[in-house]
Amino acid sequence: MKFLLITLITHVPDAVTGVQAPTHERLREVVTNAELAEELGYDGYGVGERHERPFISSSPPVVLSHIAARTTRIRLFTAVTTLSLLDPVRAFEDYSTLDNLSGGRLELIIGKGNGAAQRELFHVTPDDQWDRNAEGYELFRRLWREDRVTWSGRFRPSLTDAEVWPRPLQQPIRVWHGSATSRDSVDVAAKWGDPLFSANVTNPVEPYAELVRYYRERWVHHGHDPAAALVGAGTAGFHVARTSQEALETYRPIFESRLAMQTRLGLEPVFRTLDDFVERSSALIGSPAQVVDKVLRYHKELGHQVIHLHADRDGLTTRQHRDALELFQSDVAPVLRREIPAPPWPA
């Protein structure tokens, strides 16, 4: 199994202290966490893309380029690149440049993105967002593989024998398809023989497991080898400590702060108590043995070979955050690597 840390770069008050860091400090924290992830031996670090409050992750190529300059080994992920909002030619130019700067360490997770505000910002509608995503990816995919492209579509000007520079270092880059609950992303991933990354964060495991089963069915339908399907999955929260009591005590104010925020926003919580959140969500909160058991239980449903943890402190102190990440690497990751075969991973 492989392990990623991912941040959406939320810019909100600390869940425990209530203090909100200035923008420049929050962005520097993201880079520092990426350096920590490499130091501790994690396999990848991902930066999301959002174009609305409370996120400041509108420019992942810039953030990841800075991380590339401060690291040497760790794989760099987008999480997710919102292709439904972007010109695929411009996105290719940004990410091909980043692939070269990073020494070929880039991997993309693409998706349509969420949120009405960012759709309005880019004049994308609920009726055309999936078509934009599928069409954008078809062009994006060709740009990575072909030196000259002739293409026409609905949502951007046509291309005739077009060259787009710079050419990427990786030939081709690996692209994952991020999916929450919709089958549209799953269909595109299976069609092209690409890996799937299930969000797996809002609900209990059942709807995500159903979507992964659908992906595997469509994968076979399109003639791909069943053994070659690659699945990643997210987690709804993370804190591992020496004992379950310590983990729960530390995480409780973080959970309560999240619950209060959902109430203020008028959202209906899926998990109303911390005990229910730990038991039925994908959150990894507990002792090392409990976290191992939780991941193996979810693996039976999803068959995933890659998992992401939250990269941010999210209410923990800097020391607590580092201790949890270290403990995961020393006591959890080795067991999961033995139990779950690792997927193909670029050197």
Side-chain angles (χ1 to χ4, degrees):
M1 187 168 234
K2 296 292 186 180
F3 308 99
L4 318 180
L5 299 185
I6 285 181
T7 177
L8 300 181
I9 321 186
T10 53
H11 193 219
V12 296
D14 183 278
V16 174
T17 68
V19 176
Q20 181 165 319
T23 298
H24 70 282
E25 289 185 10
R26 179 70 182 97
L27 290 171
R28 288 184 182 279
E29 182 182 42
V30 169
V31 177
T32 299
N33 284 339
E35 294 177 286
L36 177 62
E38 176 162 283
E39 175 191 339
L40 297 181
Y42 284 87
D43 300 293
Y45 190 88
V47 173
E49 180 180 336
R50 297 291 190 276
H51 299 270
E52 59 188 338
R53 293 176 183 268
F55 307 99
I56 51 172
S57 51
S58 58
S59 189
V62 176
V63 178
L64 286 169
S65 290
H66 193 51
I67 291 171
R70 300 283 291 270
T71 58
T72 60
R73 176 198 59 80
I74 199 165
R75 302 290 294 176
L76 306 177
F77 284 75
T78 65
V80 300
T81 295
T82 52
L83 266 188
S84 65
L85 309 181
L86 306 177
D87 178 354
V89 173
R90 191 70 186 91
F92 168 84
E93 292 173 333
D94 285 341
Y95 285 115
S96 182
T97 300
L98 174 54
D99 190 47
N100 281 279
L101 286 171
S102 69
R105 290 187 283 140
L106 179 64
E107 303 208 18
L108 295 168
I109 307 175
I110 68 163
K112 73 167 180 63
N114 294 307
Q118 63 181 15
R119 282 200 308 266
E120 293 172 3
L121 191 64
F122 289 91
H123 294 276
V124 173
T125 71
D127 293 332
D128 67 18
Q129 60 186 353
W130 286 112
D131 291 339
R132 287 178 179 272
N133 190 63
E135 180 184 288
Y137 180 56
E138 290 188 19
L139 174 55
F140 194 66
R141 180 182 175 85
R142 289 187 59 190
L143 291 170
W144 283 98
R145 288 163 171 77
E146 302 173 29
D147 291 335
R148 294 178 179 271
V149 174
T150 297
W151 175 91
S152 64
R154 290 173 54 197
F155 301 110
R156 80 166 314 280
S158 61
L159 301 174
T160 302
D161 202 26
E163 294 182 290
V164 187
W165 296 95
R167 301 307 302 159
L169 182 57
Q170 296 183 86
Q171 297 285 349
I173 194 171
R174 180 159 64 182
V175 177
W176 303 66
H177 295 254
S179 175
T181 57
S182 172
R183 293 189 171 194
D184 294 83
S185 291
V186 171
D187 281 322
V188 174
K191 173 185 176 181
W192 294 111
D194 294 329
L196 178 72
F197 216 108
S198 170
N200 193 39
V201 296
T202 305
N203 300 296
V205 70
E206 289 79 13
Y208 305 113
E210 180 182 350
L211 210 62
V212 170
R213 287 192 294 270
Y214 177 72
Y215 167 67
R216 296 185 190 279
E217 291 169 4
R218 299 303 296 169
W219 179 275
V220 172
H221 171 80
H222 286 290
H224 306 301
D225 178 3
L230 176 57
V231 175
T235 53
F238 170 70
H239 183 56
V240 59
R242 289 295 175 187
T243 67
S244 60
Q245 293 83 358
E246 180 186 348
L248 289 171
E249 181 181 350
T250 301
Y251 200 83
R252 189 174 303 280
I254 299 171
F255 174 80
E256 290 174 350
S257 175
R258 282 186 178 182
L259 198 64
M261 183 177 67
Q262 289 177 328
T263 301
R264 288 195 302 271
L265 295 174
L267 302 175
E268 185 70 23
V270 177
F271 309 102
R272 293 185 171 276
T273 67
L274 177 58
D275 290 342
D276 189 35
F277 181 63
V278 171
E279 174 61 28
R280 293 197 304 124
S281 83
S282 61
L284 301 179
I285 300 165
S287 67
Q290 288 173 314
V291 169
V292 167
D293 179 70
K294 183 73 164 289
V295 174
L296 293 177
R297 179 152 51 92
Y298 264 65
H299 179 70
K300 289 180 181 179
E301 299 290 335
L302 302 173
H304 57 312
Q305 305 105 307
V306 180
I307 194 169
H308 89 57
L309 310 176
H310 287 211
D312 301 321
R313 292 188 300 108
D314 195 26
L316 300 174
T317 66
T318 301
R319 183 73 257 174
Q320 288 171 330
H321 183 229
R322 183 185 180 103
D323 287 348
L325 293 174
E326 287 181 340
L327 185 58
F328 184 92
Q329 280 289 58
S330 64
D331 288 30
V332 177
V335 179
L336 295 176
R337 288 192 179 105
R338 288 197 304 269
E339 295 292 328
I340 301 173
W345 208 252

